[in-house]
Amino acid sequence: MVTEILSGAVYGVGGKIVTVELDFSNGLPCMEIVGNPGGEVREAPKRVRVALKNNGIVLPAQRITFNLSPADLYKEGTGYDLPIAVALLEAMGLIDPESTKQVLFVGELGLDGEIKQVPGILPIVIEAGKRNIKKVILPKANAAEGAAPGTVEVIGVESLSELIGYLQLPSEMADSMIAPTVYHWEEEGMNVGTEDFADICGQESMKRGMEIAAAGFHNILMIGPPGAGKTMAAKRLAGILPPIGREESMEVSAVYSVAGLLNEEQSMIRKRPFVAPHHTATLQALAGGGRCPKPGLISRAHKGVLFLDEVVHFSSQTLEILRQPMEDKKIEISRSRGSYEYPADFMLVAAMNPCPCGNYPDLNLCRCTPEQVRRYLEKLSGPVLDRIDLTVEMSKIRVQDLHVQWDKNSSIRGSEAMREAVLRAREMQKKRFENTGISFNAQMSARQMEEYVPLKENERRYLENAYEKMNLSLRGYHKVIRVARTIADIEGEETVQIRHLEEALCYRSVEGRYWG
């Protein structure tokens, strides 16, 4: 008689249901696993045998065969330890088969029977809910993470002996022994931090650009000399980003779950991610992959910010891999065992000097030759530059700005005022895109812009003239409309007007000064 126990696996950031099948037969005593197992899975029988022995359970001297179905999917990780152990317990008559019906098991076993945390629980539980599985039994350390979707009853256990005791009791008594874990979602609001944009001297145009970028989730590039405040501005951006919603949080948390970055203290990602890789980061670190594919830094910035400081110091190959995710909002990794897709809907924030010495275009201070400046700027390719919505130019800090900064009575625009503007725009976008799957203006397709940003005749004619004079690409044309819509949202205007288009075009005209 074949015993069947439900378990789960992760592919990309999605969950799959796997059935662990067990059969006892006569022959040389051994345990073997079939069904396309990886190295960790092939080792599972050894861990399970010792864990059962240390809990007073000795396996029969028979040939034991496990099949992981569907067999065409590659199985990896240590999460199959627990379902394999449960399959053995049921086949040996130590637990009632009724106690495992429509129950999914996942977890790693220690040699003493401890049930250890495993990555990727969240996508598995989400898939279990879609398949109408009534209960998931998993490591206690993963319980809060597993309970987050709220669609499946989640039981967290710490040891094999605790699990056996739970399964041997009648259901009403078992529930009193181990209560299901329940997760309560609470809106946390803005990512308010201690660092304030008011700490940055002057640079009002940069602050305005960051405000627009945060409100519409637009990509932004800052160009300026060393010490102008580019890195300071990026670090303060998190404090004005709109709060993350429950659905967005689930998407981001699934990425971090697969990457093994969730724990008991942080079972869900409750704030928009801010990822700032060093320029020496490899292609694989950014894109993801590896022998056992995992999401990279690009995917970990999903629904948040990817900050590339000194962007031109990243290798050209590294920068070019941004092209697909910036356009498609996802990144695909192909390996011999299959293709993996990871979400990558991030807001790119990049910063750079205008030349190697940092003083261009001030020819009185710049020590670089025209050829050096050209080669330096060309490190940021045209296709990548075309995918950036706003480019802001920052100047050297003036002494007058310092005096204003020290004056306590001065009205410097800081994070609080910028947050209010972002929230105002965010509310308009929530109403506009209700039940559409869109959260921000930057996510609109060209067809959706026709519906949500209809331009009047004067505005359309003005933009068409600018398209010809500034030699914009079609992508750039659409980005101007999206940015203008965000500017109008900040001002509380229902329609996009010429002044909104003018400001949006200003943020693209900076490119012509350096790359034109």
Side-chain angles (χ1 to χ4, degrees), residues 2-5 19-23 32 65-69 87:
V2 175
T3 300
E4 296 184 354
I5 299 296
T19 302
V20 177
E21 301 174 332
L22 177 150
D23 179 70
E32 64 175 351
T65 303
F66 295 95
N67 177 47
L68 307 182
S69 176

Side-chain angles (χ1 to χ4, degrees), residues 360-379:
Y360 182 82
D362 188 343
L363 301 181
N364 294 320
L365 296 175
C366 183
R367 303 186 301 272
C368 306
T369 65
E371 180 63 18
Q372 286 176 318
V373 175
R374 184 187 65 79
R375 287 202 306 267
Y376 182 84
L377 294 173
E378 282 182 351
K379 291 180 181 179

Side-chain angles (χ1 to χ4, degrees), residues 171-465:
S171 58
E172 61 275 5
M173 296 179 64
D175 290 339
S176 63
M177 174 185 173
I178 305 177
T181 303
V182 179
Y183 184 89
H184 298 285
W185 170 265
E186 294 179 2
E187 194 79 41
E188 285 203 355
M190 306 288 275
N191 305 335
V192 180
T194 57
E195 297 179 320
D196 197 312
F197 270 98
D199 300 333
I200 301 176
C201 302
Q203 310 295 8
E204 294 304 315
S205 62
M206 175 275 294
K207 293 179 184 179
R208 173 66 170 174
M210 293 294 268
E211 178 181 284
I212 296 168
F217 216 63
H218 300 289
N219 301 321
I220 184 170
L221 170 66
M222 295 178 284
I223 304 177
K230 301 185 293 295
T231 304
M232 287 179 67
K235 289 180 177 179
R236 284 153 177 77
L237 178 61
I240 66 170
L241 287 174
I244 192 168
R246 180 180 174 82
E247 290 185 7
E248 291 177 312
S249 176
M250 293 292 290
E251 290 182 35
V252 177
S253 298
V255 174
Y256 279 71
S257 175
V258 173
L261 298 174
L262 297 183
N263 50 47
E264 290 184 86
E265 288 73 31
Q266 187 182 34
S267 58
M268 286 281 285
I269 302 300
R270 304 285 297 278
K271 294 182 179 179
R272 297 192 180 277
F274 184 89
V275 179
H278 192 262
H279 66 263
T280 57
T282 63
L283 286 170
Q284 184 173 302
L286 281 176
R291 185 183 64 84
C292 298
K294 299 287 185 184
L297 293 169
I298 290 175
S299 294
R300 282 163 54 182
H302 183 57
K303 300 299 181 182
V305 175
L306 179 67
F307 174 48
L308 302 184
D309 198 6
E310 301 298 342
V311 62
V312 294
H313 291 302
F314 286 79
S315 71
S316 58
Q317 285 183 315
T318 300
L319 291 177
E320 290 306 305
I321 68 169
L322 294 173
R323 290 170 60 175
Q324 184 217 358
M326 287 174 72
E327 194 71 22
D328 300 335
K329 310 303 180 184
K330 62 183 179 181
I331 188 163
E332 297 178 356
I333 305 294
S334 296
R335 295 291 182 266
S336 59
R337 295 192 179 103
S339 296
Y340 302 84
E341 185 178 291
Y342 300 115
D345 185 5
F346 58 86
M347 171 185 168
L348 177 67
V349 178
M352 61 179 287
N353 294 334
C355 67
C357 76
N359 293 310
Y360 182 82
D362 188 343
L363 301 181
N364 294 320
L365 296 175
C366 183
R367 303 186 301 272
C368 306
T369 65
E371 180 63 18
Q372 286 176 318
V373 175
R374 184 187 65 79
R375 287 202 306 267
Y376 182 84
L377 294 173
E378 282 182 351
K379 291 180 181 179
L380 196 61
S381 70
V384 173
L385 192 63
D386 198 37
R387 286 166 168 79
I388 292 173
D389 303 317
L390 302 95
T391 303
V392 293
E393 188 175 21
M394 300 171 66
S395 57
K396 183 179 178 181
I397 301 297
R398 304 176 303 168
V399 176
Q400 298 94 306
D401 294 327
L402 292 175
H403 292 313
V404 173
Q405 189 77 12
W406 294 330
D407 185 359
K408 295 182 179 179
N409 297 320
S410 64
S411 56
I412 297 177
R413 188 169 177 80
S415 293
E416 185 176 354
M418 295 170 73
R419 273 195 297 271
E420 291 176 0
V422 169
L423 278 177
R424 187 161 55 247
R426 174 64 173 148
E427 286 303 313
M428 291 193 69
Q429 291 171 81
K430 283 177 69 174
K431 293 177 183 177
R432 179 182 303 124
F433 302 128
E434 189 175 7
N435 300 322
T436 64
I438 302 175
S439 300
F440 296 100
N441 290 328
Q443 298 168 331
M444 285 188 291
S445 66
R447 179 170 294 182
Q448 288 166 332
M449 279 188 283
E450 290 293 327
E451 178 182 355
Y452 296 113
V453 197
L455 296 179
K456 295 180 181 178
E457 183 62 28
N458 288 341
E459 283 74 15
R460 187 176 296 278
R461 190 162 51 248
Y462 174 82
L463 187 55
E464 287 172 355
N465 291 335

